[in-house]
C-alpha cells in the first residue's frame, strides 16, 4: 500500500514531469512506478500504481489532484438526481489503462512476487464523491446518509456493482490478489457501519469473488466493529495499529490477517522501530496467514532506508 509515493526520490522525480493522473493513465510509466519499489524495498508483493478515485472520471464526477490539498471532485454528489444519472460504464473500456498496467507488470515481475489490484470500497468512494475531496469530519457524507437514506442506498449499490466489476477485470488482467480499500469507514459507529456501509462492501466483494482471486479487505479505525467488518467479506482482513494484532486475530476467527505497523513507527529511531516490528511478529506467533504490512500508507516524510530495514527484519 502506497509503496510508491512521495517518500521515494525516483517517484518525486517522475512527478516533476507528470501529474499523478498522467502517470496512472500511461501504462508504461505506471508499470515502471509499480516495479520500482519492489526492487528498492524487497517486498513480496507489488501493488499496481493507480488510485481509488480513478472511476470518478467515467462516472463523470470530474477528478483533479491539487498539490498539498489532495483530490478534488469537480461535480460532487449533492442530490438524488446526481445519483440517478450516474452512468453504468464498461470498466474494460473506461479503465483499460489500469488493466494494461497490470498486464505489463505481470510480464516483468518475478514469479515469486505477487501482484495486487485494488479498488475503493463503496463507503470510502461515496465519502469523496459527496464531500468533493478529503474530509476530517465527513459531515456532508453523514448528512446525506441520514437525510436521504434511499438515495444513499441507491448510490452505494451502484458503486458496489462498479467496484466489483472493476476488481474482477483486474484479476482477469493478471492481478493475483485484489484489495478493497475502506480507508475512512472508521468514522462510522458500529450500528451505522452495519446499516450504511457493510452491505455494499459485501456486494462488491461477492461480485469480485467470481473472478477467483484472493480478496483483502482493508480498513482503518475498525476495532469497534471488527466482527462486522470481517463478516462483510475477504479472505484477508487488514487491521490498523489501534488494536494489537493478536486481539484482532482472535476476533476475526479463521481468516488471514494483514497488518499492522503504525506508519509513524518508520519515523522512530531504529530501536523503537525494531521493537514495534518484533512485537507484531510475536503476536502473530508464526501462525500461517499473516501478511506483514503497515496499518495505513507510508507517510511522505519516511526514509526509504527505514522501510527497507523493516522488510529485511520481517524476512529475517
Ligand atoms: O504504490 C502505490 O502507491 C500504489 C498506488 C496507490 C495510490 N493511491 C497512488 C497515489 C494506492 C494503493 C492508492 C490508494 C488510495 N488513494 C487510497 C486508499 C489507501 C489509503 O491510503 O487510504 C485513498 C484514500 C486514495 C485517495 C488519494 N489519492 C488521496 C487522498 C490522495 C492525496 C493525498 C496524498 O496522500 O497525497 C491521493 C494521491 C495519491 N495517490 C498519491 C499516490 C502515490 C500521492 C500524491 C502524489 O503523487 O501527488
Amino acid at each position: 500500500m502506497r509503496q510508491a509515493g512521495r517518500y521515494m526520490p525516483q517517484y518525486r522525480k517522475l512527478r516533476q514531469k507528470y501529474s499523478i493522473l498522467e502517470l496512472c493513465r500511461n501504462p508504461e510509466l505506471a508499470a515502471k512506478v509499480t516495479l520500482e519499489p519492489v526492487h528498492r524495498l524487497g517486498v513480496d508483493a507489488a501493488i499496481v500504481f493507480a488510485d481509488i478515485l480513478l472511476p470518478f472520471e467515467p462516472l463523470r464526477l470530474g477528478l483533479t489532484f491539487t498539490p498539498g490539498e489532495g483530490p478534488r471532485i469537480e461535480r460532487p454528489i449533492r442530490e438524488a438526481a446526481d445519483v440517478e444519472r450516474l452512468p453504468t460504464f464498461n470498466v474494460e473500456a473506461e479503465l483499460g489503462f489500469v488493466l494494461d498496467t497490470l498486464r505489463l507488470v505481470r510480464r516483468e515481475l518475478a514469479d515469486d512476487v505477487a501482484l495486487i489490484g485494488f479498488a475503493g470500497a463503496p463507503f470510502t468512494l461515496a465519502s469523496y464523491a459527496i464531500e468533493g475531496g478529503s474530509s476530517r469530519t465527513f459531515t456532508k457524507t453523514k448528512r446525506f446518509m441520514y437525510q436521504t437514506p434511499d438515495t444513499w442506498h441507491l448510490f452505494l449499490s451502484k458503486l458496489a456493482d462498479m467496484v466489483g466489476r472493476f476488481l474482477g477485470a483486474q484479476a482477469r488482467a493478471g492481478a493475483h490478489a485484489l484489495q478493497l480499500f475502506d480507508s475512512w469507514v472508521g468514522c462510522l459507529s458500529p450500528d451505522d457501519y452495519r446499516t450504511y456501509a457493510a452491505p455494499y462492501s459485501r456486494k462488491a466483494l461477492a461480485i469480485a469473488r467470481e473472478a477467483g482471486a484472493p480478496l483483502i479487505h482493508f480498513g482503518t479505525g475498525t476495532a469497534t466493529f471488527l466482527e462486522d467488518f470481517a463478516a462483510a467479506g475477504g479472505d484477508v482482513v487488514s487491521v490498523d495499529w489501534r488494536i494489537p494484532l493478536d486481539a484482532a486475530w482472535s476476533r476475526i476467527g479463521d481468516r488471514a490477517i494483514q497488518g499492522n505497523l503504525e506508519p509513524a513507527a518508520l519515523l522512530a529511531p531504529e530501536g523503537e522501530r525494531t521493537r514495534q516490528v518484533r512485537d507484531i511478529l510475536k503476536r502473530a506467533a508464526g501462525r500461517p496467514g499473516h501478511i506483514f504490512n503497515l496499518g495505513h500508507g507510508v507517510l511522505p516524510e519516511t526514509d526509504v532506508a527505514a522501510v527497507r530495514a523493516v522488510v529485511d527484519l520481517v524476512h529475517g
Side-chain angles (χ1 to χ4, degrees):
M1 176 172 47
R2 296 288 176 91
Q3 289 179 359
R6 281 162 305 187
Y7 77 106
M8 282 230 153
Q10 297 78 16
Y11 177 78
R12 280 204 304 269
K13 207 164 149 231
L14 260 182
R15 282 279 284 102
Q16 288 172 358
K17 269 176 73 183
Y18 305 97
S19 71
I20 173 156
L21 289 176
E22 283 169 338
L23 287 180
C24 290
R25 290 191 190 116
N26 181 327
E28 301 222 330
L29 287 175
K32 202 177 128 171
V33 178
T34 304
L35 289 161
E36 176 90 47
V38 180
H39 301 137
R40 302 248 154 212
L41 305 176
V43 285
D44 304 298
I47 186 152
V48 67
F49 189 79
D51 197 87
I52 64 162
L53 304 179
L54 294 175
F56 285 2
E57 285 277 273
L59 287 175
R60 300 195 198 116
L61 301 180
L63 173 67
T64 55
F65 284 94
T66 45
E69 279 173 64
R72 251 199 45 151
I73 288 75
E74 284 158 38
R75 293 174 291 281
I77 297 285
R78 291 279 179 255
E79 55 186 34
D82 299 334
V83 172
E84 280 151 18
R85 74 169 151 259
L86 283 173
T88 305
F89 64 88
N90 179 318
V91 292
E92 274 88 1
E94 303 287 341
L95 296 168
F97 52 90
V98 177
L99 308 178
D100 287 339
T101 303
L102 287 161
R103 291 184 192 103
L104 278 179
V105 173
R106 267 301 289 275
R107 264 195 258 151
E108 305 270 323
L109 204 59
D111 284 344
D112 60 349
V113 181
L115 177 57
I116 302 172
F118 70 91
F123 176 82
T124 290
L125 288 181
S127 77
Y128 281 104
I130 294 169
E131 302 288 336
S134 299
S135 172
R136 286 172 65 86
T137 56
F138 302 95
T139 312
K140 293 191 180 85
T141 306
K142 291 178 182 179
R143 185 175 56 199
F144 194 101
M145 188 174 97
Y146 291 135
Q147 290 266 347
T148 51
D150 292 349
T151 307
W152 171 270
H153 289 295
L154 175 66
F155 184 28
L156 268 79
S157 183
K158 285 186 171 200
L159 289 172
D161 175 70
M162 179 276 290
V163 163
R165 288 186 292 111
F166 185 32
L167 286 172
Q170 291 185 61
R172 289 189 295 276
H176 294 105
L178 304 168
Q179 182 152 203
L180 186 75
F181 280 108
D182 216 349
S183 302
W184 309 126
V185 78
C187 74
L188 292 176
S189 73
D191 257 5
D192 286 348
Y193 176 71
R194 252 193 311 271
T195 308
Y196 296 105
Y200 307 102
S201 292
R202 179 179 288 123
K203 180 177 172 180
L205 289 167
I207 297 169
R209 163 72 64 212
E210 292 165 23
L215 306 171
I216 307 170
H217 190 184
F218 174 94
T220 73
T222 56
T224 58
F225 51 80
L226 195 56
E227 291 79 1
D228 286 307
F229 184 77
D235 302 286
V236 184
V237 176
S238 191
V239 293
D240 75 11
W241 62 97
R242 293 170 182 93
I243 178 169
L245 190 88
D246 49 345
W249 214 343
S250 71
R251 285 172 56 194
I252 64 173
D254 189 22
R255 214 80 74 84
I257 196 162
Q258 172 173 280
N260 66 342
L261 187 67
E262 149 78 275
L266 290 167
L267 310 176
E270 185 190 348
E272 173 59 13
R273 183 181 77 215
T274 303
R275 188 193 66 76
Q276 291 204 24
V277 172
R278 290 216 168 103
D279 181 67
I280 292 166
L281 295 174
K282 200 178 84 214
R283 290 174 192 281
R287 255 177 87 178
H290 174 219
I291 299 174
F292 190 97
N293 202 347
L294 302 189
H296 207 165
V298 181
L299 298 164
E301 296 83 355
T302 305
D303 184 349
V304 178
V307 187
R308 175 86 217 193
V310 167
V311 172
D312 291 343
L313 181 61
V314 172
H315 278 156

